[in-house]
Amino acid sequence: MKFRIDKYKDTYRQQMLEVWEASVRATHHFLDPDDIDFYKSMVSKIDFSQFTVYLSITDKDEVLGFLGVAGKKLEMVFLKPECIGKGIGRALTTLAIEDLGVTEVDVNEGNVNAVIFYESFGFEVYDRTPIDDAGKPYPILKMRLKK
């Protein structure tokens, strides 16, 4: 699959929100459906220009996935479900580590495939919270790169 990685532009916002929702519905089976709508309302209010965001885009300007970084922390990686396992997430995460200096990521404990994915880069769990940042009962694994 051919794609390029570009910095965020507001013209991609709607596509990013659609990718986010499709990705969450395909990978976050542990979430209550009502909670997906709750998080969707939160994500729809994010000003993506306020932090570092890169997108994986086709030559037809179709967003395949994106990542967001704040400081040294990878805040989000989301891919279209049909793009999972095609190297796009790996390319975005490699950029985050090698070019943006990412050393930490928080992962939903219930998203086992994401945990395995980050472990493949050398991230390891150093802490666990029983609730997420929104106070919901979804445990979070705090991971950092091995030194």
Side-chain angles (χ1 to χ4, degrees):
M1 183 171 284
K2 290 187 71 167
F3 61 91
R4 68 184 188 278
I5 297 177
D6 282 342
K7 281 189 165 186
Y8 172 75
K9 294 179 189 137
D10 282 335
T11 56
Y12 295 117
R13 180 178 175 72
Q14 185 57 43
Q15 283 191 72
M16 286 175 57
L17 295 173
E18 292 166 8
V19 168
W20 178 89
E21 184 173 2
S23 181
V24 168
R25 291 191 185 281
T27 61
H28 290 57
H29 303 291
F30 55 90
L31 292 178
D32 181 283
D34 289 339
D35 285 335
I36 293 176
D37 292 335
F38 169 79
Y39 294 116
K40 181 180 176 182
S41 72
M42 290 175 60
V43 171
S44 69
K45 295 173 185 158
I46 294 174
D47 180 355
F48 293 106
S49 66
Q50 294 301 305
F51 56 102
T52 304
V53 177
Y54 280 86
L55 303 98
S56 171
I57 305 169
T58 68
D59 57 359
K60 295 180 181 177
D61 278 346
E62 176 189 0
V63 175
L64 303 176
F66 65 94
L67 68 74
V69 173
K72 299 293 180 189
K73 187 174 178 186
L74 183 56
E75 294 288 348
M76 60 180 74
V77 175
F78 292 99
L79 305 173
K80 281 187 162 185
E82 63 271 22
C83 295
I84 295 171
K86 307 277 196 233
I88 296 166
R90 182 157 296 283
L92 288 167
T93 304
T94 298
L95 175 133
I97 294 168
E98 293 180 0
D99 297 344
L100 304 176
V102 161
T103 59
E104 295 189 4
V105 64
D106 290 352
V107 183
N108 286 104
E109 185 177 67
N111 193 349
V112 176
N113 288 334
V115 174
I116 292 167
F117 175 77
Y118 292 120
E119 287 175 340
S120 76
F121 283 93
F123 285 93
E124 57 189 7
V125 175
Y126 71 90
D127 197 9
R128 178 186 183 274
T129 64
I131 58 173
D132 66 14
D133 290 342
K136 299 281 187 178
Y138 302 112
I140 298 294
L141 300 177
K142 295 182 174 292
M143 303 179 80
R144 68 170 56 116
L145 278 175
K146 295 180 212 172
K147 294 192 179 195

